[in-house]
Amino acid sequence: LNRPTHVFQANGVYNVRLTVRDEDSEDTTVVRVEVRDVDPIIGGINAPDDAHEIVPMTFSVDAEPGHAADPITRYEWDFNNDGQPEYAGPQFQTVNHQFITAGDYTVSVTVRDGDSATVQAIEVEVREITLEELIDWFVAEPDLYVEVQ
């Protein structure tokens, strides 16, 4: 290998051994490596099985710090793939979002710690809501309304 690589999964101090061999000799050295930053880990995005327009739906992210000493500080959700989060802050591990029109959407979440970030995206197919489903939603949530522009 000309340029070996390795990804450390956790912060810490590691002893890395490098051995170089040719046809008649070898030499080994040990180098101490300190890993100070591991990105947050995203286990997955939880989305509704049956996404449809108009009715708010719950999305959440399973995430954990890359290291206990480097806690998650912020979640950023982008529901329309424009690069600008619709929801952002430390409280948004779970969000309720409403798609106004049916269609295919890329939903991404960025999980940040103090000095790094991890991004994950999923494709969500949002179908048209039926009249019966819409009526059921209005009956179940009489204090909510939809403003159509």
Side-chain angles (χ1 to χ4, degrees):
L1 296 172
N2 289 338
R3 293 184 176 152
T5 63
H6 180 76
V7 176
F8 292 93
Q9 297 300 313
N11 292 344
V13 177
Y14 300 90
N15 290 322
V16 177
R17 180 186 327 223
L18 174 63
T19 302
V20 177
R21 294 183 181 103
D22 65 14
E23 47 285 335
D24 59 354
S25 65
E26 76 175 47
D27 192 20
T28 299
T29 189
V30 175
V31 177
R32 180 182 154 130
V33 175
E34 184 175 357
V35 177
R36 296 183 185 172
D37 184 41
V38 177
D39 295 341
I41 300 163
I42 296 178
I45 296 173
N46 304 303
D49 291 331
D50 184 24
H52 46 277
E53 64 184 345
I54 301 175
V55 178
M57 294 169 288
T58 301
F59 292 80
S60 65
V61 60
D62 296 327
E64 61 186 69
H67 188 270
D70 201 8
I72 293 172
T73 58
R74 183 177 173 90
Y75 303 90
E76 299 172 358
W77 290 90
D78 183 357
F79 283 91
N80 58 9
N81 205 25
D82 67 353
Q84 299 298 315
E86 281 73 40
Y87 309 92
Q91 73 276 27
F92 289 115
Q93 185 169 3
T94 299
V95 296
N96 288 314
H97 183 74
Q98 179 182 35
F99 292 97
I100 300 303
T101 58
D104 295 327
Y105 293 86
T106 299
V107 174
S108 66
V109 63
T110 302
V111 179
R112 297 187 182 279
D113 61 23
D115 53 9
S116 62
T118 302
V119 180
Q120 191 170 93
I122 60 171
E123 298 299 318
V124 176
E125 182 181 343
V126 177
R127 67 172 177 81
E128 290 183 6
I129 192 168
T130 66
L131 181 58
E132 182 179 337
E133 290 169 328
L134 187 59
I135 291 169
D136 289 346
W137 177 64
F138 277 122
V139 169
E141 302 288 345
D143 295 334
L144 299 178
Y145 67 93
V146 176
E147 182 178 325
V148 180
Q149 298 179 6

